[in-house]
Amino acid sequence: MAKKQICLYFQVHQPVRLRLYRFFDIGKDSHYYDDFANRSIIRRVAQKCYLPMNELLLELIKKHGDAFKVSFSISGSAIDQFERYAPEVLTSFKALADTGCVEFLCETYYHSLASLACPAEFRLQVEKHKAAIKELFGQEPVTFRNTELIYSDGIGEQVNDLGFKTMLTEGAKHILGWQSPNFVYCSATRPKLKLLLRNYGLSDDIAFRFSDKNWDRWPLTAEKYLGWLKEAIKDGGNVIGLFMDYESFGEHQSAESGIFDFMKALPEQVIADGTFEFSTPASIARRFKADAALEVPQAISWADEERDVSAWLGNELQQDAYNKLYGLYEKLAILNQPSMWNDFGHLQESDHLYYMCTKFFSDGAVHKYFNPYDTPYEAFINYMNVLSDFTIRVDNALATK
């Protein structure tokens, strides 16, 4: 009998953070970024997460060979900052690519919401990211992972039309109903596009709950987790998608929590047991037919309890910023100036809208943890000051074109 598949996927992203940009800066100073914070955070997370975790994964691949495989997507915003502040991180990712056991996925270059707002901009960012992955790692991406796993039937059509065979998304309960996330699905409107779903319970056990001593299932060991994996597919299923932020390792879950020891032990437990094998998304898509089509008329994501896009577009502040930003696209297309496109890209990073979220209840703690602002309103005011200056630059450039 064919072994069940474990798909380990990690998201790597760091936004380019905005500096404190006051009303009186508008029209006078067009440097928008907090270079000190960006450098400090990249260096810190590199030392706590990226470098030690990449070293661990490389050791595991050397030890287990083809029996251990993982996949990544690295946003263009993160790549740019690695090149600027921590080139050794890219070197360590290249070492992983050279093993042949790591698949690098494509996404929007700026970790943006372009798939919801502007098909033309979405295409440009995807092509830019695909070219960057090919140049850095020598791989032509065939699997797509949209920002924060955002997916809908319409987005699936765009992704399929861009030539991708497979896409990752969330195993959202309100979409699946009675169905399990542990099967291969396909797009309802583009049946050739296969969908691999995140098992959010098992993923969050590692990414969010691992170090929580109040969790009734703490502590989590590799042996215990293997039992949960086997329990998850006892009634059927071919693949378990364990998708999580890479920063879960060493940053969100500290080294002192034992997270690295857990990840070191898990492959050995899984491989020795023989029920599962580790596979990349592309490999799984080649080997398995879709069990069913998945209809997703409204966009889903892996964010918050709702698993929708309300984390970025759930209030009037966010919608105002989003509409004003993407309302500039046609002007930018006429100008076609690289410096303008670059700023436009960084202003699209979904993090800026995430900071404006006003969910103070069920998911408030998550938003607070990632948020450099004291309130959503401060985030909105700072962003709109930057956007006002950017709009003035665009209009002035058009007037002199």
Side-chain angles (χ1 to χ4, degrees), residues 126-397:
V126 172
E127 295 294 349
K128 181 175 182 177
H129 191 264
K130 182 191 286 188
I133 296 302
K134 181 72 179 295
E135 181 180 351
L136 282 169
F137 306 119
Q139 294 186 16
E140 184 86 33
V142 295
T143 304
F144 190 79
R145 181 264 186 209
N146 199 18
T147 304
E148 306 298 325
L149 294 188
I150 293 173
Y151 175 80
S152 68
D153 292 336
I155 292 170
E157 291 169 8
Q158 294 180 65
V159 170
N160 181 247
D161 293 348
L162 285 167
F164 295 97
K165 310 295 185 186
T166 315
M167 186 169 176
L168 308 189
T169 189
E170 176 69 10
K173 275 188 177 179
H174 68 279
I175 294 297
L176 286 170
W178 58 268
Q179 298 174 103
S180 165
N182 305 326
F183 289 91
V184 176
Y185 292 87
C186 68
S187 164
T189 55
R190 290 287 193 278
K192 290 184 178 179
L193 180 69
K194 290 182 179 174
L195 303 175
L196 301 184
L197 307 187
R198 176 176 180 256
N199 185 310
Y200 65 80
L202 288 167
S203 298
D204 289 351
D205 286 337
I206 298 174
F208 290 103
R209 291 183 279 273
F210 183 85
S211 61
D212 182 4
K213 294 183 179 179
N214 294 316
W215 181 30
D216 60 3
R217 305 177 89 175
W218 185 89
L220 182 56
T221 64
E223 185 178 16
K224 184 190 292 185
Y225 193 73
L226 174 60
W228 296 354
L229 292 170
K230 292 166 77 170
E231 179 72 16
I233 49 91
K234 70 175 186 179
D235 295 324
N238 298 318
V239 55
I240 296 181
L242 302 177
F243 307 164
M244 58 199 83
D245 286 323
Y246 202 38
E247 295 80 13
S248 301
F249 301 92
E251 174 68 13
H252 305 157
Q253 312 288 339
S254 69
E256 291 74 22
S257 72
I259 190 73
F260 291 111
D261 295 328
F262 170 82
M263 279 305 299
K264 186 175 182 179
L266 183 62
E268 192 155 346
Q269 286 281 339
V270 169
I271 293 165
D273 177 77
T275 304
F276 296 94
E277 62 184 351
F278 291 95
S279 294
T280 60
S283 176
I284 292 169
R286 284 194 300 267
R287 293 173 59 187
F288 291 88
K289 293 182 179 180
D291 289 283
L294 204 61
E295 291 188 19
V296 187
Q298 302 297 323
I300 58 174
S301 77
W302 72 357
D304 298 347
E305 290 186 1
E306 293 85 354
R307 304 291 198 267
D308 58 16
V309 295
S310 60
W312 305 277
L313 297 172
N315 65 43
E316 292 183 2
L317 304 178
Q318 294 167 311
Q319 291 166 15
D320 186 32
Y322 169 86
N323 290 330
K324 282 187 168 63
L325 176 68
Y326 282 104
L328 294 172
Y329 179 81
E330 289 188 7
K331 293 180 179 179
L332 286 159
I334 294 169
L335 284 172
N336 201 27
Q337 293 183 5
S339 63
M340 293 285 196
W341 280 125
N342 187 56
D343 284 336
F344 182 57
H346 288 306
L347 290 174
Q348 289 181 66
E349 292 166 349
S350 62
D351 309 74
H352 302 309
L353 294 172
Y354 192 80
Y355 300 148
M356 302 175 199
C357 186
T358 49
K359 292 183 181 180
F360 295 118
F361 300 104
S362 60
D363 300 296
V366 177
H367 288 271
K368 187 175 181 181
Y369 180 89
F370 292 104
N371 201 330
Y373 300 95
D374 290 332
T375 71
Y377 308 102
E378 287 182 21
F380 174 73
I381 291 167
N382 201 65
Y383 183 84
M384 294 307 284
N385 285 343
V386 170
L387 188 56
S388 294
D389 183 83
F390 182 65
T391 302
I392 290 169
R393 286 172 55 207
V394 171
D395 288 340
N396 286 345

Side-chain angles (χ1 to χ4, degrees), residues 5-168:
Q5 310 293 297
I6 292 176
C7 182
L8 263 180
Y9 156 78
F10 304 115
Q11 168 192 283
V12 180
H13 170 61
Q14 289 294 333
V16 176
R17 292 159 181 84
L18 302 176
R19 71 175 178 89
L20 177 61
Y21 195 90
R22 303 181 188 281
F23 175 80
F24 298 104
D25 292 327
I26 298 172
K28 297 178 181 177
D29 185 347
S30 296
H31 182 72
Y32 306 136
Y33 311 112
D34 189 335
D35 298 325
F36 177 78
N38 289 322
R39 182 187 184 280
S40 299
I41 291 170
I42 288 289
R43 295 297 307 168
R44 185 194 79 210
V45 183
Q47 295 303 316
K48 293 175 71 174
C49 169
Y50 303 137
L51 293 173
M53 191 61 179
N54 281 1
E55 183 180 356
L56 173 58
L57 292 180
L58 191 59
E59 289 175 6
L60 290 169
I61 292 170
K62 287 178 179 177
K63 180 178 181 179
H64 299 291
D66 286 348
F68 182 65
K69 296 180 179 179
V70 298
S71 54
F72 286 95
S73 68
I74 310 176
S75 72
S77 298
I79 289 170
D80 290 345
Q81 293 184 86
F82 292 152
E83 289 177 336
R84 190 174 304 128
Y85 304 125
E88 66 274 24
V89 172
L90 284 180
T91 300
S92 68
F93 275 116
K94 288 176 182 177
L96 286 172
D98 290 342
T99 66
C101 294
V102 179
E103 180 184 356
F104 288 88
L105 281 56
C106 194
E107 68 160 282
T108 57
Y109 194 87
Y110 295 103
H111 202 75
S112 73
L113 302 182
S115 62
L116 299 170
C118 182
E121 173 65 8
F122 179 65
R123 175 181 287 271
L124 287 172
Q125 285 195 35
V126 172
E127 295 294 349
K128 181 175 182 177
H129 191 264
K130 182 191 286 188
I133 296 302
K134 181 72 179 295
E135 181 180 351
L136 282 169
F137 306 119
Q139 294 186 16
E140 184 86 33
V142 295
T143 304
F144 190 79
R145 181 264 186 209
N146 199 18
T147 304
E148 306 298 325
L149 294 188
I150 293 173
Y151 175 80
S152 68
D153 292 336
I155 292 170
E157 291 169 8
Q158 294 180 65
V159 170
N160 181 247
D161 293 348
L162 285 167
F164 295 97
K165 310 295 185 186
T166 315
M167 186 169 176
L168 308 189

